[in-house]
Amino acid sequence: MKTKATMLAIMALLFCVPAKSADLYVNNSGQSGTYTTIQAAINAASTGDNIYVSPLNSYQESLSITKSIRIASSVAGSRIIVTQDIKISPLA
């Protein structure tokens, strides 16, 4: 009986540990592990992930965001320019 209680306690702890968010990067370098569009990074992201966008480019794309993610410039103090629409849909 003690073993069963120990196993249940371990399982409960595993479910309480928050998943680590992933960092995704957007630039036009073509470097492995980066995305060339913001929407591609959004599509690949999971809820809670961070998307860091290079401010060196203007992004001529429409964005559709349907999950809770963070999008920021990869360079502190700089802006990201998106020249088309950004649609944010409420979470289901």
Side-chain angles (χ1 to χ4, degrees), residues 4-70:
K4 188 174 184 179
T6 303
M7 289 299 289
L8 287 174
I10 291 171
M11 287 175 40
L13 285 174
L14 289 175
F15 288 111
C16 292
V17 176
K20 181 170 172 33
S21 62
D23 293 337
L24 292 82
Y25 296 90
V26 179
N27 61 49
N28 66 355
S29 71
Q31 181 179 4
S32 178
T34 64
Y35 296 89
T36 56
T37 67
I38 300 170
Q39 188 62 55
I42 291 168
N43 295 345
S46 297
T47 295
D49 286 352
N50 303 304
I51 298 175
Y52 296 103
V53 181
S54 171
L56 302 177
N57 306 310
S58 285
Y59 297 90
Q60 297 180 359
E61 57 182 301
S62 293
L63 304 179
S64 178
I65 303 169
T66 59
K67 51 190 123 182
S68 180
I69 55 176
R70 179 177 181 256

